[in-house]
Amino acid sequence: MAAKFLSLACIRPNESGNLSPRPHYPSMPKYPKGVTVSSDEEKFMQGSESKALFSVTGMTCSACAGSVEKAVKRLPGIKEAVVDVLNNCAQVTFYPAFVNEETIRETIEDVGFEASLIKEEMNEKSSGICRIRIKGMTCTSCSTTVESSLQSLPGVQRAQVALATEEAEVRYDPKILTYNQILQAIEDTGFEAILISTGEDRSKIHLQVDGLHRESSIRIVGNSLQALPGVQDMSFDPELNKLSVSYQPDLTGPRNFIEVIESTGSGRYKAKIFPDGGSRGAHREEEIKQYHKSFLWSLVFTIPVFLMSMIFMYIPGIKHVLDTKIVNMLTIGEIMRWILSTPVQFIIGRRFYIGAYKALRHGSANMDVLIALGTNAAYFYSVYSVLRAATSPRFESTDFFETSSMLISFILLGKYLEVLAKGKTSEAIEKLMDLAPQTATLLTLDSDGNVLNEEEIDSRLIQKNDILKIVPGAKVACDGFVIWGQSHVNESMITGESRPVAKRQGDMVIGGTVNTNGVLHIQATKVGSESALAQIVRLVESAQMAKAPVQKLADRISKFFVPLVIFLSLSTWLAWFLAGKLNGYPKSWIPSSMDSFQLALQFGISVMVIACPCALGLATPTAVMVGTGVGASQGVLIKGGQALESTHKVNCIVFDKTGTLTVGKPVVVNTRLLKNMVLKEFFELVAAAEVNSEHPLAKAIVEHAKKFRQDEESSVWPEALNFESITGHGVKAVVRNKEVLVGNKSLMVDHGISISLDAEDVLAETESLAQTGILVSIDKELIGILAISDPLKPGAREVISFLKSMKVNSIVVTGDNWGTANAIAKEVGIDTVIAEAKPDHKAEKVKELQAAGNVVAMVGDGINDSPALVAADVGMAIGAGTDIAIEAADIVLMKSNLEDVITAIDLSRRTFFRIRLNYLWALGYNTLSIPLAAGALFPSTGFRLPPWVAGGAMAASSVSVVCSSLLLKNYKRPKVLDALEIKKKNRGVDC
């Protein structure tokens, strides 16, 4: 039974505590600058928040997006504005009491871009994602069956099933299909399905609420929670006392829910965070325990059967007892082996019957079918032999009870070891999850910002805008920014950055990192599923779900593998049986305890149980899981098998210049005036024009101009009228009634401004020094040239040199001028340069390289270079930091180090070498073992493989493939990179 409620209003929990001396800091502004909001207006604004999506045409880079975002945010009543330059759109969250869609649209157009409202985009989402855990899959055939079943459902847009993780990710249309129907479809294929998450774009918390025994109690709690804003829906599971609440974290949070619940009903209801028992680790532990328990119980029965069949028969006293006849030729030993092997066959081995039945019911065949057929053949032939001995005075029985029981025992041992090993392949995700601290110290402030109280809370109870205290040695509980204190934070576990990063007021911190030497007070900005750590975990999980194209080989083989093995097994049995009946081989070949039928049966069973489809199915996904996990631990986030496979083939890399090969922090290094003018006045005019631009070069000019007015109290630049940003060229404005143009040579030429020979010489000299020349004209006359330098990243030359040794060609594609681009390229050792390229031209160059037969990787900042990142075979977003949600990139490099490009390529090559090795072993094993089990060596050597040994070999093959993949955990990046890091540290450079 489930009860659902809808939120209507707002209740805020009261917080109090004892006064204690603490630091003081100003409270953070909540609404746009210049907007005064009363308490009544605040409630009204919260209750009437709206969203609008605008199409914005004309944007070409991040500077354009930044100018639009900045202009919109200046409007009163704007809560949030996000501009996507790649998709040419802007999403704005605003309060209609202060601003409307038309005002926002006009503001965007005032910046210089065309804007239109897209109403249809505001409709309900047309796709949803759910992740499901699937229990019972044993081989590729199982995962293929489930995947095909899901893809056949109406409304399913994409379905991926991963054997290694035993999980499925399904994208579907919620208007056509529900996740409950998806779960039912999986159940119908014969596997147990457990919902992990629905992937909706909203936060969800699970609470354990004690005291809700009647519908009236549920209704009371529901009515109480209706007072909270942002609660989207909730459901209650009375069996588990589990209340699930979906909410908007900007408006409310779990502490509010708990306080409201516990204050309802005179304290009769108690609420706390629901214990997490459904994680992947918990599921894996349960599976390991099940297989371990089954294996131990099988040994209890199998060891006596083995001893009676293989050992006691050579001990005279015991042999005499076991050979004592009861009825006709039926002996005590046969009865005891029958009794002991039966529980192993039908109780302990029940899982194989269930798996085989479910597979056959849906027209497929998996490993369970082979095991069930092989063990049944041995068991039921033994039963026939025993019953015939009991009814015949002359027939001497030869049973194979030890074959069936030992076979099941060995397979259970193999599955136990396999699950144990598979659990280690996903350790990377578990380590990431463990980075989040269990508790956090919450500070309570008064209206003046003084600390009133501090309280230790569960970290899952943190809400947006909470103030948290981080002591030395403690983990940062969530993403946020520092509002008081200074310290160094170790971010190596998130970004891979080896040295602690200095943090002071205003700096961002990442949840899961470790504070080293000072006390920090931070304000929470992203909590729960929105945090950088949660996004990294989701990215790695998605990467491990995504299949590499090479996996298609195993999927194709799995379709006919089991039927082929059954055919080969029957053919083997028939061939040996007919050969024996027709005297095709000497009678001396037949062991004394068997006849020709029994010998043929053993060969047939051995063929059936030695073939292993599991090894093929696990060859790729286990290696991808370990590879992506290792990459994440080193700050290289690889988005799945497709990215891994493409990266190992890369033979050409296109580098952006600014922020990729260079540090990305340009500074003005030289100023040349061509006319007589006071330098301070010159920079007043230039800075006034550039202050409205978001371009990095503009910011560098403004920062430099501030040096000439250090003695002045005013920080306001003169007003710039008719400001215009000309993409790829510069800016134009009227300052103090003078027309000011600041930009490149093309801007001057387009506006008819003559460039003297002296100016040409200064430009040439500037560009030869790998500097960017910015020209300034005032009232149609060229006045001065600014030289701006963006220092080369330390180690860039060594990285390009090492890439050459890896047979990877490097190219620079930049929007900067040819002189600067050539100078930078020459300095790092790159021969091919494309300069003055706009974002779309970069993408065209990538396509040209691909057309020439190259596998191209694009390395850029993930924003300006988005078109090229999408066009490339592999897009690498470098220096993304916490911005890991870059859709355009296939690989996100968390640090700004160029060395990680080498790490990504080297890791992908090692991973695919391991995948090839796994396939070679899996295919080689089956190719060699099946003839061996069929008795290929028996005529010449007398060697034959007993079925129970064949079963052990089958189990060992899949374990060996997983262990082979686990060797990737020992991956070390190329030694030259460690040497380079030491070299940079010796120079005193922050890596």
Side-chain angles (χ1 to χ4, degrees):
M1 181 182 71
K4 297 184 180 292
F5 316 104
L6 211 57
S7 63
L8 297 174
C10 173
I11 289 180
R12 294 178 180 271
N14 296 319
E15 297 183 11
S16 60
N18 297 324
L19 182 65
S20 57
R22 288 290 186 274
H24 170 80
Y25 30 77
S27 57
M28 307 304 295
K30 205 170 180 184
Y31 298 107
K33 194 172 181 180
V35 178
T36 305
V37 184
S38 68
S39 59
D40 290 334
E41 286 173 329
E42 180 178 342
K43 290 179 183 177
F44 174 70
M45 286 171 66
Q46 287 182 344
S48 57
E49 176 186 304
S50 296
K51 283 187 179 181
L53 189 71
F54 297 88
S55 171
V56 184
T57 54
M59 297 188 297
T60 56
C61 65
S62 60
C64 303
S67 61
V68 172
E69 193 170 305
K70 190 174 181 180
V72 172
K73 285 183 175 178
R74 284 175 179 165
L75 292 171
I78 299 295
K79 181 181 178 183
E80 187 60 65
V82 179
V83 181
D84 184 349
V85 69
L86 182 61
N87 295 309
N88 292 314
C89 65
Q91 181 171 292
V92 183
T93 306
F94 64 98
Y95 299 109
F98 294 90
V99 70
N100 58 32
E101 293 94 332
E102 184 60 25
T103 305
I104 297 169
R105 188 190 66 78
E106 289 175 355
T107 302
I108 296 172
E109 292 196 338
D110 288 343
V111 180
F113 304 99
E114 293 183 15
S116 59
L117 182 64
I118 308 175
K119 292 183 179 179
E120 59 269 21
E121 291 293 331
M122 300 309 295
N123 293 337
E124 189 180 350
K125 288 196 305 177
S126 60
S127 67
I129 298 178
C130 65
R131 286 180 57 241
I132 301 164
R133 180 169 295 116
I134 303 172
K135 299 175 73 172
M137 294 192 299
T138 57
C139 64
T140 315
S141 178
C142 302
S143 59
T144 304
T145 301
V146 176
E147 192 167 279
S148 300
S149 175
L150 289 173
Q151 288 173 342
S152 66
L153 287 174
V156 169
Q157 298 161 354
R158 189 190 68 205
Q160 291 179 314
V161 179
L163 174 64
T165 59
E166 295 180 350
E167 291 179 6
E169 185 176 274
V170 185
R171 183 181 290 275
Y172 63 99
D173 187 343
K175 297 175 183 176
I176 301 173
L177 198 65
T178 67
Y179 64 80
N180 284 324
Q181 290 172 305
I182 295 171
L183 294 174
Q184 188 57 51
I186 296 172
E187 298 274 357
D188 290 343
T189 60
F191 301 96
E192 184 181 349
I194 303 169
L195 182 69
I196 300 174
S197 67
T198 56
E200 296 170 342
D201 293 330
R202 56 190 182 185
S203 297
K204 193 169 191 175
I205 191 78
H206 303 289
L207 302 174
Q208 181 176 313
V209 184
D210 297 325
L212 296 181
H213 303 304
R214 298 189 301 273
E215 285 192 24
S216 59
S217 303
I218 298 171
R219 191 162 51 251
I220 289 170
V221 170
N223 291 335
S224 300
L225 288 173
Q226 283 178 356
L228 291 172
V231 176
Q232 294 171 317
D233 62 47
M234 45 181 129
S235 61
F236 183 70
D237 184 344
E239 292 183 6
L240 300 175
N241 287 337
K242 182 178 180 181
L243 179 68
S244 301
V245 185
S246 297
Y247 64 98
Q248 292 177 324
D250 288 330
L251 302 177
T252 188
R255 287 204 314 281
N256 300 47
F257 306 150
I258 291 175
E259 178 142 344
V260 167
I261 291 169
E262 292 188 345
S263 63
T264 302
S266 304
R268 284 179 294 157
Y269 312 124
K270 298 294 180 184
K272 63 180 180 180
I273 297 289
F274 194 83
D276 184 16
S279 66
R280 177 187 292 178
H283 162 67
R284 187 74 71 190
E285 285 297 321
E286 181 188 349
E287 194 176 16
I288 289 171
K289 286 179 181 177
Q290 286 179 355
Y291 275 114
H292 185 248
K293 182 179 177 182
S294 296
F295 171 63
L296 291 180
W297 272 110
S298 72
L299 287 184
V300 170
F301 299 99
T302 300
I303 289 175
V305 174
F306 172 77
L307 292 174
M308 284 187 280
S309 301
M310 305 293 179
I311 306 297
F312 294 163
M313 59 185 294
Y314 298 108
I315 302 174
I318 300 176
K319 183 180 185 302
H320 176 73
V321 174
L322 294 176
D323 287 345
T324 303
K325 295 179 176 57
I326 303 173
V327 180
N328 288 328
M329 301 297 288
L330 179 64
T331 65
I332 291 176
E334 290 166 349
I335 288 290
M336 290 182 68
R337 287 193 292 272
W338 186 6
I339 292 171
L340 289 169
S341 64
T342 299
V344 179
Q345 183 70 33
F346 297 109
I347 299 175
I348 298 170
R350 179 173 175 265
R351 66 174 69 238
F352 303 119
Y353 284 101
I354 294 172
Y357 166 72
K358 289 176 178 177
L360 293 172
R361 193 180 67 176
H362 290 88
S364 63
N366 59 10
M367 187 195 74
D368 292 331
V369 173
L370 296 179
I371 295 170
L373 284 174
T375 56
N376 277 339
Y379 179 84
F380 284 108
Y381 174 78
S382 301
V383 171
Y384 158 77
S385 181
V386 167
L387 291 177
R388 187 175 173 186
T391 57
S392 172
R394 289 181 297 277
F395 179 80
E396 290 191 11
S397 169
T398 302
D399 64 80
F400 299 136
F401 286 122
E402 83 285 350
T403 296
S404 66
S405 57
M406 289 176 68
L407 192 52
I408 288 173
S409 296
F410 270 109
I411 289 168
L412 288 172
L413 173 62
K415 293 300 291 181
Y416 167 67
L417 295 175
E418 181 186 321
V419 172
L420 207 61
K422 278 164 66 177
K424 294 185 182 297
T425 62
S426 58
E427 277 184 353
I429 289 181
E430 290 167 16
K431 286 180 179 177
L432 282 171
M433 289 177 169
D434 288 342
L435 289 177
Q438 298 295 315
T439 60
T441 303
L442 176 70
L443 299 180
T444 305
L445 309 181
D446 62 15
S447 57
D448 296 323
N450 297 308
V451 178
L452 297 176
N453 184 44
E454 58 181 70
E455 174 191 2
E456 189 174 272
I457 63 169
D458 189 312
S459 61
R460 291 171 294 181
L461 295 175
I462 297 173
Q463 298 177 187
K464 274 193 177 181
N465 298 319
D466 277 348
I467 307 299
L468 305 172
K469 178 181 177 181
I470 315 296
V471 298
K475 290 181 179 179
V476 178
C478 66
D479 294 1
F481 60 89
V482 179
I483 59 173
W484 180 86
Q486 57 183 13
S487 180
H488 285 77
V489 175
N490 181 1
E491 298 182 345
S492 61
M493 62 288 298
I494 299 291
T495 65
E497 185 63 66
S498 58
R499 299 178 67 181
V501 181
K503 299 292 180 183
R504 55 180 59 87
Q505 187 172 350
D507 289 341
M508 301 301 296
V509 290
I510 308 170
T513 56
V514 178
N515 183 25
T516 58
N517 58 2
V519 177
L520 294 175
H521 290 183
I522 68 167
Q523 181 168 348
T525 56
K526 292 182 179 179
V527 298
S529 61
E530 294 182 342
S531 68
L533 181 59
Q535 290 184 58
I536 292 172
V537 170
R538 281 201 301 273
L539 192 150
V540 176
E541 284 179 335
S542 296
Q544 295 182 347
M545 286 291 303
K547 288 184 180 179
V550 72
Q551 175 69 21
K552 293 175 183 176
L553 172 64
D555 291 343
R556 284 196 296 268
I557 293 174
S558 70
K559 291 179 181 178
F560 59 82
F561 185 87
V562 173
L564 177 62
V565 169
I566 293 171
F567 171 77
L568 291 175
S569 175
L570 292 173
S571 300
T572 299
W573 169 78
L574 188 61
W576 278 102
F577 176 67
L578 291 177
K581 287 295 182 183
L582 301 174
N583 298 317
Y585 57 81
K587 296 292 184 185
S588 59
W589 287 11
I590 304 174
S592 57
S593 59
M594 297 185 189
D595 57 23
S596 60
F597 175 86
Q598 294 164 341
L599 180 64
L601 184 63
Q602 283 227 339
F603 282 129
I605 294 173
S606 293
V607 169
M608 191 169 293
V609 298
I610 203 168
C612 184
C614 296
L616 280 170
L618 294 170
T620 299
T622 52
V624 169
M625 281 181 72
V626 179
T628 52
V630 168
S633 68
Q634 301 208 12
V636 178
L637 301 181
I638 303 169
K639 295 183 179 179
Q642 174 73 60
L644 259 178
E645 184 161 347
S646 299
T647 305
H648 97 280
K649 300 175 184 175
V650 166
N651 58 10
C652 179
I653 296 186
V654 177
F655 287 96
D656 177 44
K657 180 181 76 69
T658 306
T660 302
L661 291 174
T662 63
V663 174
K665 295 179 180 178
V667 291
V668 177
V669 293
N670 193 16
T671 305
R672 295 283 292 272
L673 291 179
L674 305 174
K675 303 289 180 181
N676 289 326
M677 189 174 186
V678 177
L679 201 58
K680 180 180 178 181
E681 183 185 351
F682 171 78
F683 273 109
E684 284 277 321
L685 297 175
V686 173
E690 288 282 33
V691 74
N692 293 306
S693 174
E694 292 291 328
H695 198 282
L697 296 183
K699 291 181 178 179
I701 293 171
V702 173
E703 284 299 314
H704 186 72
K706 289 178 181 177
K707 297 176 182 178
F708 294 92
R709 56 188 312 183
Q710 289 178 345
D711 298 334
E712 299 181 15
E713 292 183 6
S714 174
S715 60
V716 180
W717 298 103
E719 185 180 6
L721 303 175
N722 302 327
F723 174 79
E724 183 181 355
S725 177
I726 304 164
T727 304
H729 296 283
V731 298
K732 177 182 176 183
V734 176
V735 183
R736 292 175 178 167
N737 295 321
K738 296 179 180 180
E739 186 184 66
V740 180
L741 271 75
V742 185
N744 56 22
K745 186 177 178 181
S746 299
L747 180 69
M748 302 299 148
V749 172
D750 291 346
H751 285 77
I753 296 166
S754 61
I755 301 173
S756 65
L757 290 176
D758 288 343
E760 293 279 11
D761 291 341
V762 172
L763 275 177
E765 180 187 350
T766 299
E767 292 172 1
S768 68
L769 296 172
Q771 297 169 354
T772 301
I774 300 296
L775 288 76
V776 180
S777 81
I778 300 175
D779 287 337
K780 300 292 183 179
E781 188 177 11
L782 189 63
I783 300 297
I785 298 175
L786 304 175
I788 298 179
S789 174
D790 187 2
L792 199 66
K793 277 187 178 175
R797 184 175 184 84
E798 289 88 343
V799 169
I800 300 301
S801 175
F802 191 77
L803 285 171
K804 285 181 180 177
S805 70
M806 296 173 74
K807 295 183 170 50
V808 178
N809 184 34
S810 299
I811 296 174
V812 174
V813 178
T814 177
D816 211 336
N817 62 73
W818 281 97
T820 304
N822 280 320
I824 288 287
K826 184 178 179 181
E827 195 172 345
V828 297
I830 294 177
D831 300 324
T832 308
V833 181
I834 306 295
E836 298 178 7
K838 293 182 180 180
D840 53 340
H841 295 156
K842 293 181 183 180
E844 289 173 9
K845 182 59 184 176
V846 167
K847 291 174 183 175
E848 287 175 18
L849 291 167
Q850 290 170 326
N854 294 297
V855 179
V856 183
M858 171 69 195
V859 184
D861 62 10
I863 302 173
N864 294 357
D865 307 303
S866 293
L869 286 167
V870 173
D873 296 288
V874 180
M876 297 188 189
I878 191 168
T882 61
D883 186 20
I884 60 147
I886 300 176
E887 294 296 332
D890 301 297
I891 297 176
V892 180
L893 309 178
M894 296 293 285
K895 297 176 283 182
S896 294
N897 288 354
L898 277 175
E899 296 94 296
D900 286 341
V901 175
I902 294 175
T903 302
I905 294 174
D906 186 61
L907 177 60
S908 69
R909 290 182 178 182
R910 297 278 189 91
T911 302
F912 264 79
F913 170 76
R914 187 61 54 183
I915 288 173
R916 290 192 189 102
L917 205 62
N918 288 349
Y919 271 124
L920 183 65
W921 165 248
L923 290 170
Y925 164 81
N926 283 294
T927 304
L928 296 175
S929 65
I930 290 176
L932 192 66
L937 298 180
F938 187 66
S940 58
T941 64
F943 175 81
R944 64 184 177 86
L945 210 60
W948 61 271
V949 175
M954 183 271 285
S957 68
S958 56
V959 174
S960 63
V961 164
V962 178
C963 290
S964 170
S965 296
L966 282 173
L967 291 176
L968 278 170
K969 292 180 73 175
N970 300 322
Y971 170 80
K972 303 290 182 187
R973 65 182 189 163
K975 290 182 179 179
V976 67
L977 299 185
D978 294 326
L980 179 60
E981 187 170 338
I982 293 170
K983 183 179 177 183
K984 292 197 299 188
K985 284 181 179 178
N986 290 338
R987 288 179 185 167
V989 178
D990 185 1
C991 300

